[in-house]
Amino acid sequence: AEASGSAPVIDDPEHLRKAIKKGVQENDIVVLNAGASAGTRDYTSNVLAELGKVIVHGVAIKPGKPVILAIIDNTPVIGLPGYPVSAILTMRLFVRNMVYTFMNLDTPKAEMTEALMSRPLASSMGVDEYVRVTLGQVDNALMATPAGKGAGAVMSLVRADGLLTI
């Protein structure tokens, strides 16, 4: 399998339409970075709906809610959120599995461990929340401490030892 990239496209329907059509013709999977939110200047969802079928626009996860999953000419198209942590997380949750499936490979299983939270942690109801954590040994217990907040806090992801799913 070979990955390819293209130059950034301005947030304009005609430019997006042209780039997406080209991407779908030349690739097995198309991943769009940014332009997936519901902002007034985010045209990606409308363009994808014009060219094919939007399967999902928005998922119950945090960070990463505005992800778009679409099909154009039997080619999956994934629109990632623009915030870096959201983009990385949605790549891991959606694109990674799709790529492994296309290559007829089993998706590697995530390593799991048990740890005690260093402090109570609240989460929104009805949303799967992915919390970056750092791990540390305290006496005989492995402790997990939340490592930063915000979908733009890339260093919190870089410094994290793992992801806690709530």
Side-chain angles (χ1 to χ4, degrees), residues 151-163:
V154 173
M155 288 311 291
S156 70
L157 191 59
V158 171
R159 293 185 180 121
D161 296 314
L163 282 173

Side-chain angles (χ1 to χ4, degrees), residues 16-140:
L16 287 170
R17 196 174 294 111
K18 183 177 175 184
I20 292 169
K21 280 182 178 178
K22 184 176 189 290
V24 166
Q25 290 170 355
E26 298 176 358
N27 300 282
D28 296 319
I29 300 172
V30 175
V31 179
L32 308 171
N33 188 35
S37 77
T40 55
R41 293 192 38 109
D42 289 333
Y43 304 110
T44 306
S45 182
N46 291 337
V47 170
L48 291 173
E50 287 173 21
L51 297 175
K53 181 176 181 171
V54 173
I55 308 299
V56 173
H57 186 189
V59 291
I61 63 172
K62 183 179 177 182
K65 182 180 187 275
V67 71
I68 303 169
L69 304 172
I71 300 283
I72 300 173
D73 296 333
N74 292 321
T75 301
V77 180
I78 301 93
L80 303 177
Y83 284 112
V85 173
S86 297
I88 292 166
L89 181 64
T90 52
M91 280 283 289
R92 181 175 179 88
L93 292 175
F94 301 106
V95 179
R96 180 176 181 249
N97 293 339
M98 203 175 291
V99 169
Y100 274 91
T101 300
F102 265 77
M103 294 173 53
N104 290 319
L105 297 171
D106 292 332
T107 305
K109 299 288 182 216
E111 289 184 43
M112 306 282 258
T113 191
E114 287 189 27
L116 298 172
M117 292 301 297
S118 62
R119 59 182 163 85
L121 189 63
S123 180
S124 305
M125 291 294 289
V127 175
D128 288 349
E129 188 166 349
Y130 294 85
V131 179
R132 282 102 48 204
V133 294
T134 57
L135 299 172
Q137 194 74 33
V138 178
D139 296 325
N140 290 329

Side-chain angles (χ1 to χ4, degrees), residues 1-22:
E2 195 172 304
S4 65
S6 69
V9 176
I10 63 169
D11 204 7
D12 167 80
E14 194 52 45
H15 286 88
L16 287 170
R17 196 174 294 111
K18 183 177 175 184
I20 292 169
K21 280 182 178 178
K22 184 176 189 290

